[in-house]
Amino acid sequence: MNIKDVAKLAKVSKSTVSRVLNNPERVNAEMRQRVLEVVRETGYRPNALAKELVIKETRLIGVIVPRINTNVFADIVEGITLRLSENGYNVILLCSKADEAIEISHFEFLQKKQVDGIIFFPGNMTLALRKLINTLPTPLIILGLDDPLIKRSVVSYDEYKSSKAIVEHFIRQGHKQIAFIGIDKERSPVGQERKLGYTDALRTHDLPLNIDYIYEGSFELQSGFEGAKHVFSKSVIKPTAVFAATDYLAIGAINYLQSQGLSIPEDVSVAGFDDLEISVFFNPSITSIKFDYFHSGEVAAQFVIENIQEPSIIRKYILGFQIINRDSTSEL
Amino acid sequence: MNIKDVAKLAKVSKSTVSRVLNNPERVNAEMRQRVLEVVRETGYRPNALAKELVIKETRLIGVIVPRINTNVFADIVEGITLRLSENGYNVILLCSKADEAIEISHFEFLQKKQVDGIIFFPGNMTLALRKLINTLPTPLIILGLDDPLIKRSVVSYDEYKSSKAIVEHFIRQGHKQIAFIGIDKERSPVGQERKLGYTDALRTHDLPLNIDYIYEGSFELQSGFEGAKHVFSKSVIKPTAVFAATDYLAIGAINYLQSQGLSIPEDVSVAGFDDLEISVFFNPSITSIKFDYFHSGEVAAQFVIENIQEPSIIRKYILGFQIINRDSTSEL
DNA sequence: TTGAAAGCGCTAACAC
DNA sequence: GTGTTAGCGCTTTCAA
């Protein structure tokens, strides 16, 4: 069933059917009725491929993320999807596993598919990727990473500032021995930003940087456990506070510390990052940094729509954060 | 830049360019080199819309889910996405908010977009939806709900059997006063299945059904708290065990019980459902039912691919479950 | 207002 | 092996 068949059945031309579907006001009521009747009876669905080939607009946005099933990415993707659909756009979702080769092939795929725009959360930034991003003819929004050499709108998270803020929060509470359980450079650039916030906070407040206080592993809960074990067995003077680069890591760390008979926060304060839904119900409830990831997805969606209409606009949006002070941390 | 431009630059015909890109072995090496050279230099990307209009295959699968940012759906979507992309398919992701009208409009959208297949996780099943599902010309896989009147391949979760199993686990441990904290009928059909497993387990073992032991609310943590409060304030004889229909609800319930000075599991055993990543690290670690949602997504992907090749095949896959016995439950 | 015809960028017979 | 041509299903001038 195509437009020609409908036209025949309604005894009108293809053009008229097309008009009824796209500019109904431009066709007189009687014919319009005839056509709509046929459309209803036959269940005719206009072929979007053919239409889009002509109008050069697919109303499709490509979304490239390293993963989907983590709180952060799932929130972002839902924010993007909902906001886009409010504006008549839909999402082709692509998972990159933070692998550059996959990312590049996704870009090629999306170009072929003629998407109207792309929202990209890079794993790591490389030369090849940066070049690709700067030369791609498609509207493109970068998520999570503000590279000065990239001329695109960006939605980023102030990993550095927020990390620094929570470490300074510890310092204000009188802590001087502060450990950091983070994420490997190789695994994510995010880990480095959060680490830098930590080291700079110490430096700013003239506290020594103790290499034994730093552990960098993976995102997994287990890595938080390992990290705390590492830090607390290695160091001579034990830390009084631990900044974990995610709430999962914080929970893992708390588990280790409690298994060693330490009380949180009486013996050690522990803070996390990302404020999981369960963090408030954990025992002790976890002090954390909260970003509204869902909203960042909405903003990215807004940006890409804006860029489709006005490609020259470059915006930078840095998502605000909150320190949520709970029972896992206390004054020294 | 289109195929005609490339042809001109390479001094060959459009067909030759097309062949180089789709059946390179059918064109001699010299011309192939010339064409590939031009493609590389110009960065030409063939327009997939035009191609797909001819070959009638988009290699796109529509995925309709109620939400994205919950552990369950995020896992499913990632499973689908990864498995599909291994097979050269990609995903258009649509969020329905479990709203029938939105679901129906998504189906229409996907038909127009000429997707090769659809994977659909319905909110609730209605007459209109069932009819649509049975008549849609597109290969379609149903997720999460095995309706006897639907003639499609299905991937489902044995909510009933698993719920019954965990309640029977309680019964084997000597519990007789078992409460249920579930989810409103209106919110999700899943809630009812889990409740049925609960009531049937009691019935099977000749235990009385006490209406005061049942609370049905939302998915939220807070609802678990409220549920426990409700059950424990209302009942004369207090329950010795609580089956919560999700781990979030279990955590909420545990929080309430602990706030009342009760020890878990000494005073009350609490079991959850879905085995969140944090459940093992919670204090006490939570007894739960584990489904491999990621894998269910992979299976759905497999089914839809199979249906594209062989539309007549109808398969039913019921995902297995495991009871994970941890510290939140014990013998009476 | 309506219809005829050209064209979007590609593939696939078919003839050479 | 290569080019010519028709056609996929739609929109959009243009003329009537």
Side-chain angles (χ1 to χ4, degrees), chain B residues 153-196:
Chain B
S153 287
V154 170
V155 175
S156 63
Y157 312 96
D158 211 331
E159 311 281 356
Y160 170 78
K161 201 163 147 192
S162 53
S163 298
K164 193 171 174 194
I166 201 157
V167 175
E168 290 184 322
H169 178 73
F170 275 144
I171 295 172
R172 271 196 308 280
Q173 289 188 323
H175 294 278
K176 289 185 168 26
Q177 276 77 43
I178 304 168
F180 175 68
I181 297 178
I183 297 147
D184 255 345
K185 213 194 314 266
E186 280 78 49
R187 275 176 227 274
S188 163
V190 155
Q192 289 312 293
E193 296 267 355
R194 295 185 190 171
K195 184 181 175 185
L196 200 62

Side-chain angles (χ1 to χ4, degrees), chain B residues 65-82:
Chain B
V65 285
R67 298 186 54 184
I68 303 160
N69 61 352
T70 74
N71 302 64
V72 174
F73 291 121
D75 274 353
I76 292 172
V77 170
E78 179 148 334
I80 292 172
T81 305
L82 258 30

Side-chain angles (χ1 to χ4, degrees), chain A residues 63-68 73 76-77 80 93-98 103 106 119-122 143:
Chain A
V63 174
I64 307 174
V65 285
R67 297 186 55 183
I68 303 160
F73 290 122
I76 292 173
V77 170
I80 292 173
L93 181 63
L94 302 169
C95 205
S96 71
K97 302 176 179 178
E103 291 172 334
H106 284 341
I119 295 173
F120 176 39
F121 199 124
L143 224 46

Side-chain angles (χ1 to χ4, degrees), chain A residues 90-104:
Chain A
N90 285 285
V91 165
I92 295 188
L93 181 63
L94 302 169
C95 205
S96 71
K97 302 176 179 178
D99 176 328
E100 187 200 5
I102 298 180
E103 291 172 334
I104 291 174

